[in-house]
Amino acid sequence: MSSKPALEEELNGPNDGPTKDIQDPVVWMSDGNIIVGVLDETNNERHMFKCHRGILSSRLPALRDMFEADGVGGSAGASASEKYQGLPFVRFYDNPKHVRLLLRVIYNPSTLPYKWWLRTTMDEIEGLMRLTRKYEAEDLYQHCVTIFQNAWPSTLDRWDLRETEMLRIFDEPQYDEEDYDVWKGRAQVIGHHQPDPGAAILLLDEYDLPGNGASAFYALHTTYVPTYTVSSASPQQLFPNSLPCTANKLSARLLLQFIHGREFIRHLGSELICRTLPGLLLNLRTCDTFDECQLSIVGMWQQRVVSLTEEGSAVFDDPLRTLKNMCGFIEKRGSNDTCVMCKNNMVECLTEARRYIWDGMTIYFGIEDNGNGRERSLYELSYNLRTRMKARGLIL
């Protein structure tokens, strides 16, 4: 947390002489006893808020000691404080938009943004998280963390709920091999409105936040970005500003984590779909009519997955989505092709494969295990999946 002298110096810096003072139409309390000013350097404006010292002290504890020590708002030291319209004046050197939102939420908690599926909301929430951490507003900070975790969940089940909600809200078409180019183009447009994974990665790296940063890395991985090569190119060259994410702001360390994880997931998806799962499905626990259902399962896999791999590597960009949609296709097949038991077992196998991918995400993106975790995960892929599926009684 910020020390009192450092915080005081930041709040009450030198006057840069803005040309225009703008009184906030919402946070300008008629009985307020302290003025908060925030400089907008871009427009050379100063945004002014008329507040209550007691409310700021109770909701922003980092300011309490400074107020009491300097006598801000009180009779003892008020005359020594900087004044604005006869009231004590405190200057904030933070983002004016975020300070405005913070003060409005303090006075009216119902104005706290909650639509986690919108980029504008998450930009505001991330700004609030920084300010509430800085000024020690723990309750408000925890509310922001909850909203942040809705956008960037730590479990596969919550990720699936997030994706389903995104599909519903933005009416995004489900993935299908015939319209992949259309889907991908629409996803690029939608990406401009959805939460920014690059900004989330920066925030997760900046603070020790609860939750799983892997979901933000994976979302960035599935964001439409151009093909690149691992070279000495800068992040700005690899990710132009026109893209719907702030990956161009990632540090070299975070960028390398992302690139290594991205390439590994592509490799893992190829290995999983083309080799590992076809072999495991041959040992799938089936019904008494073994031959009939077994042939149907093998034919189904060749029809819906192997054919996709022949069209290109795009299906490996999002193996979680590819396998989930494969499960949906299997569940919709008629009982004349495959019995209910065998269909359910096949869906469970694919679901277990999705869990395996998710459980290793922190290793793939270098969040945990900086050793040979990626290589070990790929080398032991078939063995580990077979062990997990056997434990669940899905394969022989």
Side-chain angles (χ1 to χ4, degrees):
M1 297 298 178
S2 300
S3 64
K4 183 253 177 185
L7 182 61
E8 182 176 355
E9 180 180 355
E10 182 174 358
L11 291 174
N12 294 303
N15 190 345
D16 295 324
T19 59
K20 185 178 180 181
D21 288 340
I22 301 176
Q23 295 181 3
D24 188 79
V26 177
V27 186
W28 190 262
M29 306 302 166
S30 59
D31 59 344
N33 56 9
I34 191 170
I35 302 294
V36 171
V38 189
L39 181 65
D40 182 351
E41 295 180 351
T42 302
N43 300 313
N44 199 24
E45 297 173 342
R46 191 166 57 175
H47 296 265
M48 314 298 285
F49 307 87
K50 191 175 183 181
C51 308
H52 300 91
R53 174 202 172 198
I55 292 177
L56 293 186
S57 296
S58 63
R59 298 303 303 274
L60 305 176
L63 300 181
R64 185 183 304 142
D65 292 342
M66 189 192 79
F67 284 172
E68 292 176 354
D70 292 347
V72 175
S75 59
S79 60
S81 302
E82 187 178 355
K83 301 281 186 174
Y84 182 88
Q85 295 186 356
L87 294 175
F89 177 73
V90 176
R91 218 171 295 168
F92 280 57
Y93 282 83
D94 300 292
N95 186 306
K97 179 178 68 174
H98 296 153
V99 172
R100 179 190 301 112
L101 180 61
L102 174 65
L103 295 176
R104 290 183 178 183
V105 170
I106 285 176
Y107 277 95
N108 184 4
S110 65
T111 60
L112 179 67
Y114 66 91
K115 297 180 179 179
W116 56 265
W117 55 88
L118 294 177
R119 172 167 300 208
T120 52
T121 295
M122 293 313 299
D123 288 346
E124 293 173 337
I125 288 296
E126 289 160 9
L128 278 179
M129 288 174 69
R130 288 187 168 92
L131 288 184
T132 52
R133 256 294 181 87
K134 176 179 179 179
Y135 298 115
E136 304 176 12
E138 186 62 26
D139 289 346
L140 183 53
Y141 171 75
Q142 291 301 329
H143 284 298
C144 293
V145 168
T146 299
I147 297 172
F148 184 87
Q149 288 178 317
N150 287 334
W152 309 112
S154 58
T155 66
L156 179 59
D157 288 341
R158 291 184 64 85
W159 174 263
D160 286 341
L161 288 174
R162 173 194 189 274
E163 293 293 279
T164 300
E165 189 68 6
M166 289 289 194
L167 292 173
R168 183 189 67 80
I169 292 171
F170 292 101
D171 192 27
E172 180 182 345
Q174 289 281 357
Y175 168 81
D176 188 82
E177 66 270 28
E178 285 85 10
D179 65 355
Y180 184 79
D181 290 337
V182 175
W183 173 85
K184 197 169 186 180
R186 178 162 170 75
Q188 184 178 10
V189 175
I190 292 173
H192 286 280
H193 302 285
Q194 292 184 356
D196 182 353
I201 291 171
L202 290 172
L203 192 67
L204 287 161
D205 187 61
E206 183 178 351
Y207 295 110
D208 183 20
L209 297 174
N212 188 354
S215 60
F217 272 106
Y218 189 78
L220 182 59
H221 161 67
T222 58
T223 299
Y224 180 75
V225 294
T227 302
Y228 57 80
T229 57
V230 180
S231 65
S232 59
S234 67
Q236 288 76 13
Q237 291 172 308
L238 297 177
F239 299 97
N241 291 327
S242 59
L243 290 172
C245 59
T246 56
N248 60 312
K249 296 182 181 179
L250 296 183
S251 65
R253 173 179 57 82
L254 291 174
L255 182 63
L256 284 176
Q257 284 181 223
F258 167 70
I259 291 175
H260 290 160
R262 179 178 175 85
E263 294 307 311
F264 181 83
I265 286 179
R266 284 175 167 170
H267 193 178
L268 178 67
S270 173
E271 183 74 14
L272 186 67
I273 293 173
C274 297
R275 298 180 58 182
T276 304
L277 279 175
L280 292 175
L281 291 175
L282 288 175
N283 295 304
L284 183 70
R285 187 179 296 278
T286 57
C287 62
D288 294 336
T289 59
F290 178 82
D291 291 337
E292 183 178 344
C293 276
Q294 189 75 9
L295 290 174
S296 177
I297 289 170
V298 173
M300 185 189 311
W301 188 263
Q302 291 175 341
Q303 175 189 358
R304 297 294 295 179
V305 179
V306 177
S307 61
L308 289 179
T309 64
E310 294 174 352
E311 296 179 6
S313 61
V315 293
F316 307 136
D317 285 350
D318 193 350
L320 293 179
R321 183 189 288 257
T322 299
L323 292 175
K324 183 179 180 181
N325 286 322
M326 185 65 183
C327 290
F329 170 75
I330 295 169
E331 290 170 341
K332 292 177 182 177
R333 285 179 68 93
S335 57
N336 293 334
D337 298 322
T338 313
C339 73
V340 173
M341 172 188 166
C342 292
K343 285 199 302 182
N344 289 342
N345 282 352
M346 188 173 182
V347 167
E348 280 297 312
C349 279
L350 300 185
T351 301
E352 191 62 32
R354 296 181 75 241
R355 293 193 189 103
Y356 181 84
I357 295 173
W358 183 270
D359 291 345
M361 205 79 76
T362 55
I363 295 177
Y364 309 155
F365 288 108
I367 300 172
E368 297 177 358
D369 189 351
N370 294 322
N372 62 343
R374 296 188 187 94
E375 292 73 14
R376 188 170 63 250
S377 295
L378 193 62
Y379 178 76
E380 299 174 351
L381 172 62
S382 178
Y383 172 79
N384 289 338
L385 259 183
R386 182 180 297 274
T387 301
R388 289 171 66 142
M389 291 182 182
K390 270 191 172 183
R392 293 175 57 86
L394 298 174
I395 61 174
L396 301 173

